[in-house]
């Protein structure tokens, strides 16, 4: 699938710092340890609606991972999927009496525009579920052959399910106990009560064709893939086992990431699927998580457009989302955006001066804070401190504004 346009990333003088990130599986902040090429998979959208601020915050967090690795001299092999066939997409298309393919194409195009506007570096491989169907069915057939997947006891629709407890590593990503898993499985698209399954937690691998639903012919019979195996296969076939970072929002910890890992681990007999599982917090509005079901979404395209919200500078949006730590659930309010807009104006104004206070230490502090589990609140304070000092007019370093501009661009992705 076509990805989106990259922006240039300037080189920043000084000494890069290796990136440390919180890993959900080991429940600690650990150094990432990529080889020459760092590898990352971040779960993509299901394109039935526009990009909201919760999505943007998640992709922005992993954009910083990407940028920190580039700063450390790594190439980055970044893979992202698009779940361009799944129940929510089909339900929305049916509700709106539109073609699900057209809906997916339209929303994916808008997502690309939003990502470009926010200056999020594109993945190298941007892969749709539909285009990956042949590789997914091949893996499901192998899982059946090895006895870890089975057909539901259902003569009409013998869907394929995965035995959730097939490996000894199940649960090691989320660290959740079984009651928590059962609750989250039911809440997040699972089908615990589906008759014919061997265990309520077993996830769907292949859904046999129902009347009126899209399906693909395969050795499994006509049908379509489940969501977890989609990501598992797309990541595995491009990055291999033990890639550096598996990313997404914290609502993907279970069942999605647990089962994506479990499928690949059952298939290969190797562990772990990813060396870090990294999860971004949720963005809330009026005290509730931003979500489709609550109808409280704030769309990126609406904010940056000329509509009633009035054309917000995407860099202010980016700065606003970076003002909180990526792992904390946080509230979106008009004040957050207003503060970021004023901050952006102050930064830009300071950089119009021909000289400023030396910026080498500021750049070093930026690197220190960002490499420490992406501590953006402290990183922004470091820039604020330089800007305040520049405002006194006493700085004489003619190279400083250019150095800071390059560092803020390369490391924070903000064009000043
Ligand atoms: Zn995924």
């Amino acid at each position: 699938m076509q990805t989106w346009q990259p922006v240039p990333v300037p080189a920043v003088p000084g000494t890069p710092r290796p990136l440390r990130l919180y890993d959900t599986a080991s429940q600690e902040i650990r150094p990432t340890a990529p080889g020459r090429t760092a590898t990352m998979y971040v779960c993509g959208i299901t394109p039935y609606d526009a990009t909201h601020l919760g999505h943007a915050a998640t992709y922005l967090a992993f954009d910083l991972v990407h940028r920190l690795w580039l700063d450390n001299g790594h190439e980055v092999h970044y893979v992202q999927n698009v779940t361009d066939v799944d129940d929510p997409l089909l339900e929305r298309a049916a509700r709106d009496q539109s073609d699900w393919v057209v809906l997916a194409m339209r929303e994916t195009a808008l997502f690309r525009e939003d990502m470009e506007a926010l200056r999020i570096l594109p993945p190298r491989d941007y892969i749709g579920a539909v285009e990956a169907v042949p590789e997914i069915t091949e893996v499901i057939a192998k899982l059946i052959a090895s006895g870890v997947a089975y057909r539901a006891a259902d003569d009409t629709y013998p869907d394929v399910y995965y035995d959730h407890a097939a490996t000894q590593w199940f649960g090691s990503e989320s660290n959740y106990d079984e009651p928590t898993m059962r609750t989250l499985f039911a809440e997040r698209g699972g089908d615990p009560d589906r008759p014919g399954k061997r265990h309520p937690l077993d996830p769907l691998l292949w859904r046999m064709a129902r009347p009126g639903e899209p399906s693909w012919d395969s050795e499994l019979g006509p049908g379509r893939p489940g969501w977890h195996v989609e990501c598992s296969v797309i990541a595995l076939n491009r990055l291999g086992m033990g890639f550096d970072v598996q990313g997404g929002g914290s609502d993907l910890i279970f069942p999605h990431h647990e089962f994506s890992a479990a499928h690949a681990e059952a298939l290969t007999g190797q562990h772990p699927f990813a060396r870090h599982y990294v999860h971004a917090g949720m963005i809330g509005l009026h005290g509730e998580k931003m979500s489709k079901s609550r109808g409280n979404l704030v769309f990126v395209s609406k904010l940056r457009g000329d509509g009633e919200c009035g054309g917000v500078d995407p860099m202010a949006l980016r700065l606003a989302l970076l003002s909180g730590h990526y792992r904390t659930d946080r509230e979106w309010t008009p004040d957050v955006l207003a503060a970021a807009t004023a901050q952006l104006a102050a930064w830009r104004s300071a950089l119009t001066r021909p000289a400023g206070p030396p910026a080498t230490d500021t750049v070093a502090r930026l690197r220190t804070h960002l490499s420490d589990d992406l501590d953006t609140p402290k990183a922004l304070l470091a820039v604020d401190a330089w800007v305040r000092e520049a405002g006194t007019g006493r700085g004489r370093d003619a190279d400083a504004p250019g150095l800071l501009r390059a560092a803020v661009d390369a490391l924070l992705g903000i064009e000043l």
Side-chain angles (χ1 to χ4, degrees):
M1 191 173 266
Q2 182 198 337
T3 183
W4 58 90
Q5 288 300 312
V7 288
V9 180
V12 184
T15 310
R17 291 183 65 95
L19 174 62
R20 298 162 56 80
L21 286 174
Y22 183 83
D23 170 32
T24 301
S26 61
Q27 300 178 304
E28 61 181 355
I29 296 174
R30 292 193 292 111
T32 60
R36 187 169 161 273
T37 300
T39 47
M40 174 163 71
Y41 184 92
V42 179
C43 291
I45 56 164
T46 301
Y48 63 103
D49 215 338
T51 319
H52 60 72
L53 288 176
H55 293 136
T58 296
Y59 297 115
L60 195 45
F62 294 98
D63 189 54
L64 296 189
V65 173
H66 195 158
R67 288 169 180 277
L68 269 283
W69 279 338
L70 290 177
D71 189 47
N72 277 275
H74 299 285
E75 282 184 29
V76 179
H77 188 172
Y78 175 20
V79 181
Q80 189 179 131
N81 70 309
V82 187
T83 304
D84 56 358
V85 61
D86 204 1
D87 293 345
L89 175 68
L90 301 175
E91 285 161 12
R92 178 61 63 95
R95 189 198 77 177
D96 297 349
Q97 295 183 304
S98 58
D99 184 314
W100 66 274
V101 176
V102 175
L103 173 63
M105 285 171 60
R106 188 178 69 220
E107 296 303 342
T108 305
L110 184 57
F111 175 73
R112 288 191 193 98
E113 282 178 29
D114 288 337
M115 293 297 102
E116 282 181 10
L118 290 169
R119 302 184 88 236
I120 289 174
L121 299 171
R124 185 188 296 181
D125 299 314
Y126 193 44
I127 308 292
V130 169
E131 62 186 324
V133 164
E135 52 186 298
I136 297 168
T137 55
E138 189 184 326
V139 166
I140 296 172
K142 285 181 183 165
L143 292 172
I144 295 173
S146 64
V148 299
Y150 64 91
R151 296 274 182 182
D154 179 336
D155 292 339
T156 313
Y157 299 118
D159 301 329
V160 182
Y161 282 87
Y162 171 81
D163 172 3
H164 74 286
T167 76
Q168 74 266 35
W169 302 300
F170 179 68
S172 64
E173 180 262 338
S174 65
N175 296 294
Y176 293 152
D177 59 17
E178 186 166 324
T180 306
M181 288 181 177
R182 286 192 182 226
T183 303
L184 293 175
F185 189 80
E187 283 174 9
R188 296 174 178 168
D191 53 357
D193 302 323
R194 199 264 197 232
K197 281 169 53 163
R198 293 180 189 164
H199 190 281
L201 278 179
D202 291 352
L204 177 75
L205 291 173
W206 186 253
R207 178 177 164 89
M208 300 299 286
R210 277 27 172 204
E213 289 188 6
S215 65
W216 287 264
D217 283 325
S218 79
E219 59 196 298
L220 306 168
R224 59 185 166 94
W227 178 35
H228 317 313
V229 71
E230 167 196 336
C231 282
S232 187
V233 173
I234 291 173
L236 185 64
N237 283 352
R238 285 155 191 82
L239 302 175
M241 289 297 286
F243 59 90
D244 292 302
V245 166
Q246 157 78 306
S250 58
D251 53 349
L252 299 189
I253 293 172
F254 192 90
H256 186 54
H257 284 174
E258 189 75 66
F259 281 124
S260 292
H263 297 332
E265 289 166 353
L267 181 77
T268 62
Q270 295 169 35
H271 173 85
F273 178 54
R275 295 199 278 173
H276 266 78
Y277 294 91
V278 180
H279 294 106
M282 299 287 111
I283 302 295
L285 190 72
H286 309 313
E288 290 193 313
K289 176 196 153 185
M290 220 175 262
S291 75
K292 248 129 234 179
S293 52
R294 293 189 178 89
N296 62 347
L297 303 179
V298 178
F299 294 113
V300 172
S301 46
K302 181 121 181 161
L303 283 170
R304 67 184 175 83
D306 295 319
E308 63 194 60
C309 297
V312 174
D313 184 332
M315 292 302 94
L317 207 48
R318 189 165 171 125
L319 199 48
L321 290 169
L322 293 178
S323 66
H325 191 267
Y326 81 97
R327 275 200 287 128
T328 45
D329 293 341
R330 51 205 197 273
E331 198 54 20
W332 179 260
T333 66
D335 289 351
V336 172
L337 183 57
T341 303
Q343 190 178 28
L344 182 68
W347 289 12
R348 283 181 170 155
S349 168
L351 291 183
T352 59
R353 294 169 180 270
T360 311
D361 284 354
T362 306
V363 172
R365 287 174 63 198
L366 259 181
R367 281 185 165 121
T368 298
H369 297 314
L370 291 175
S371 65
D372 178 18
D373 197 30
L374 308 177
D375 192 342
T376 54
K378 283 187 184 160
L380 301 194
L381 286 176
V383 179
D384 282 339
W386 185 92
V387 165
R388 261 197 317 278
E389 205 180 331
T392 66
R394 290 195 294 270
R396 293 281 180 270
D397 186 339
D399 294 332
L403 173 60
L404 196 64
R405 184 191 303 274
V408 168
D409 182 344
L411 303 174
L412 292 171
I414 292 172
E415 190 175 35
L416 293 174

